[in-house]
Amino acid sequence: DESYAYLSLDATKALKLDAVSSASVAQNEKAYEVTLKSGNIFFNITKPLTDEETLNITTSTLTIGIRGTSGVVRSDDTVYVLDGSVEVTYNGETYTVNAGEIATLADGVVTVAPLKEAEVGEFAIEELRADEALENRVREASDLKVDVLLGIVPPSVFDELGYTTISVATDGTYDYTTSTYDVVGQTIGQITFTGYEVFESDATHEAKEGYEWRAVHLNMFFNEDNASYYGVVYSFPSVDYYTGEFVGDELLLIYNGIEYNECLTQKERVPHPPEEVDYEYFQYEWDKYAVRVPIGYDGYTLMFYNGKYYWDPDTQTTADHSAWEYITDGQEVASDPDTLFFRFD
């Protein structure tokens, strides 16, 4: 890449300067001294140094001793390690930084902490993509989620089982077949999605770092005789497109290998005053059916299925099954032509 500078000290020692970075290299026989003046430098040492060899990278305040490892040194006195370990020296004190850790200097104190995927620079990630051996070393050396770094999308249960989803991003109306409360009767209503949007926050939807809101106007309408005579049984649990698991209203999602426990469903039901209610039809409407999910997460899916699987007319109770069981246990419900999947993608 034209924005990077590469330097091979020998067949097992490679350095890469990030864009707008500056460094100098000095060699005295088997001793290498690299001075990072600005920017960032990636190092990849594929064979441990012998006892006679040394390789140090220095910033204005830190000295990083490297023997057989890969990672990044930044001129802002930050060091992180992808595999192996390094020794960071500051004011005569030495700190060991192991694979999957990051060391920072602030206010005269060196702190070593777990490395987060978001802290790994793109110019280092490019080396992982290009070097399978390096990728494998990093996978084995730490708990870093390499698939997250490489942007590998997890397989979808929906794809594996052959289920088709409908995107709510496109306005549309769809027929929804479900049962009435006597279950013998069936009725067909219409589900309409309009105005899909993705946003950070608004007056009624609080912002949260690392999250975004996805919202749509949802309307269900039934006006057949069976619906007015017996009532409508409807159910639309939310499931994860990738895992098929039920996610509920207070969502716990695993996205790109990271656990997000502050997801949220917020439903703004549209009230219909009594004088507007016509008991010859049933209408359920949400001005904003909104979910707070990790930024970029496109797997929130509503599963509308026939109420005959949900309602027991003899006991007047709902069936004791989860959405996950409906999808995986025999797949009867999920594969029913009446079942519709609407995805917030």
Side-chain angles (χ1 to χ4, degrees), residues 158 236-248 253 297 299-303 323-324 327 341-342:
F158 279 67
F236 55 101
S238 51
V239 296
D240 185 337
Y241 171 77
Y242 295 102
T243 66
E245 294 182 356
F246 175 69
V247 292
L253 291 172
Y297 173 75
Y300 185 86
T301 303
L302 294 179
M303 173 184 177
W324 170 243
I327 290 178
F341 296 103
F342 296 97

Side-chain angles (χ1 to χ4, degrees), residues 144-157:
L144 278 170
K145 299 177 177 63
V146 176
D147 283 350
V148 175
L149 296 176
L150 299 179
I152 297 174
V153 177
S156 164
V157 166

Side-chain angles (χ1 to χ4, degrees), residues 49 110 207 248 251 307 331:
L49 274 63
V110 173
L251 321 181
Q331 305 166 23

Side-chain angles (χ1 to χ4, degrees), residues 19-220:
V20 196
S21 299
S22 174
S24 62
V25 179
Q27 180 182 0
N28 182 7
E29 295 184 348
K30 294 184 178 182
Y32 298 89
E33 297 290 331
V34 180
T35 301
L36 180 61
K37 300 174 182 178
S38 63
N40 312 310
I41 190 168
F42 170 80
F43 55 89
N44 182 16
I45 312 304
T46 60
K47 181 180 179 180
L49 274 63
T50 65
D51 292 340
E52 295 78 24
E53 294 178 302
T54 60
L55 171 57
N56 293 323
I57 299 177
T58 61
T59 67
S60 59
T61 51
L62 301 180
T63 299
I64 299 92
I66 297 168
R67 305 218 47 92
T69 182
S70 66
V72 170
V73 177
R74 301 195 326 224
S75 60
D76 64 356
D77 296 321
T78 299
V79 182
Y80 60 81
V81 179
L82 300 177
D83 82 294
S85 63
V86 301
E87 300 292 326
V88 176
T89 302
Y90 170 69
N91 271 357
E93 295 285 336
T94 299
Y95 307 82
T96 299
V97 185
N98 294 310
E101 293 183 334
I102 183 170
T104 55
L105 173 63
D107 299 323
V109 177
V110 173
T111 301
V112 179
L115 174 64
K116 299 178 181 177
E117 287 75 12
E119 294 171 317
V120 180
E122 177 61 28
F123 88 116
I125 294 173
E126 287 184 4
E127 296 306 303
L128 287 176
R129 293 194 183 103
D131 188 337
E132 185 177 356
L134 174 61
E135 175 191 335
N136 291 334
R137 279 163 39 205
V138 175
R139 287 185 185 276
E140 294 173 2
S142 74
D143 293 330
L144 278 170
K145 299 177 177 63
V146 176
D147 283 350
V148 175
L149 296 176
L150 299 179
I152 297 174
V153 177
S156 164
V157 166
F158 279 67
D159 287 340
E160 292 174 358
L161 298 178
Y163 302 147
T164 300
T165 61
I166 301 168
S167 174
V168 301
T170 302
D171 292 357
T173 298
Y174 308 89
D175 287 342
Y176 172 39
T177 301
T178 188
S179 71
T180 57
Y181 275 99
D182 66 351
V183 176
V184 176
Q186 299 285 292
T187 187
I188 300 177
Q190 283 72 46
I191 303 171
T192 300
F193 290 94
T194 56
Y196 180 64
E197 56 182 325
V198 180
F199 57 96
E200 181 180 353
S201 64
D202 62 18
T204 57
H205 298 83
E206 181 183 1
K208 193 76 177 177
E209 185 177 358
Y211 294 79
E212 65 189 8
W213 287 94
R214 295 180 176 235
V216 70
H217 184 102
L218 167 58
N219 186 54
M220 282 197 301

